[in-house]
Amino acid sequence: MSSGSERVLVRLDGEDAEAAIRTAQDLGGTVGGWVIGMDLLLDCGPILVGALCALGKRVLVDLSFLARPSVVARGVARMGKLGARWVSVSGLGGRAAVEAAVGAGRDYPDTGVAISASWTGWLRDDELRGVGIGDTPGQQVSRMTKLAVRCGADGIVFPAPESGVVVQVSGNSERFSRFAEASGGLSSGGKMGETSDILARGAHWVIVPQHAVLGD
């Protein structure tokens, strides 16, 4: 485990809530917290968020599959009630959706809203062009970061290789958190030994897949 392990958030996976909680309990002393994505939310329900928050570590809930402003706002509010430290929403929903998320988050001062641009790490260039997106990943991340800053979001989730772009656009604000997703775009698959390098490039938090910690 790297010296920056307290800044590592593990993206939990699987279809079993009990297994996810056991993993969190086993690793709780070695990492900074957890990311709960769409797969676990669909399989286990939002109650899992509350259960993991009760363990005392930070929890980021990935709601980047939502886009309609009213639905995004309800999702942020629900996660805030359950105690999530952060909620990430997709920048592809546009300014209206981002502003709705940020507005809903204001009712939960302990919950921050981050904009997700991590999709640029797992979609190939030809796939992006197929849906009308012709910019490079760096240009896309730059645009999402600017949107997050303009709308008053608390941070940005992005592929780790784009750290330089995010640092340049977001500046040195202490309140704007940079979450580097190490599970996409790295040839080594986001190994734990790389987290210190990612942090050194300006990330505040590094998100790694569960298998990178468990060695599955």
Side-chain angles (χ1 to χ4, degrees), residues 42-184:
L42 290 177
D43 290 328
C44 305
I47 193 64
L48 177 61
V49 176
L52 289 173
C53 289
L55 297 179
K57 290 284 185 176
R58 299 172 180 87
V59 175
L60 186 156
V61 182
D62 182 1
L63 296 183
S64 59
F65 55 94
L66 301 179
R68 197 166 66 181
S70 60
V71 177
V72 170
R74 287 202 302 271
V76 170
R78 179 71 184 278
M79 296 306 110
K81 289 177 182 177
L82 290 170
R85 175 61 186 87
W86 302 285
V87 181
S88 66
V89 300
S90 177
L92 292 179
R95 183 160 187 161
V98 172
E99 289 179 341
V102 171
R106 292 194 185 105
D107 292 332
Y108 303 92
D110 294 328
T111 300
V113 174
I115 307 309
S116 177
S118 60
W119 46 273
T120 63
W122 51 262
L123 283 179
R124 301 191 311 271
D125 288 349
D126 62 316
E127 292 174 318
L128 292 169
R129 288 193 298 271
V131 293
I133 301 176
D135 291 340
T136 66
Q139 290 170 326
Q140 295 160 33
V141 170
S142 175
R143 184 178 295 111
M144 292 298 106
T145 305
K146 290 175 182 176
L147 177 64
V149 172
R150 284 198 302 267
C151 294
D154 298 285
I156 181 82
V157 182
F158 61 95
E162 305 302 334
S163 294
V165 171
V166 174
V167 171
Q168 181 180 21
V169 173
S170 63
N172 296 318
S173 174
E174 293 292 330
R175 62 166 297 277
F176 190 84
S177 297
R178 299 189 285 257
F179 301 88
E181 185 96 50
S183 58

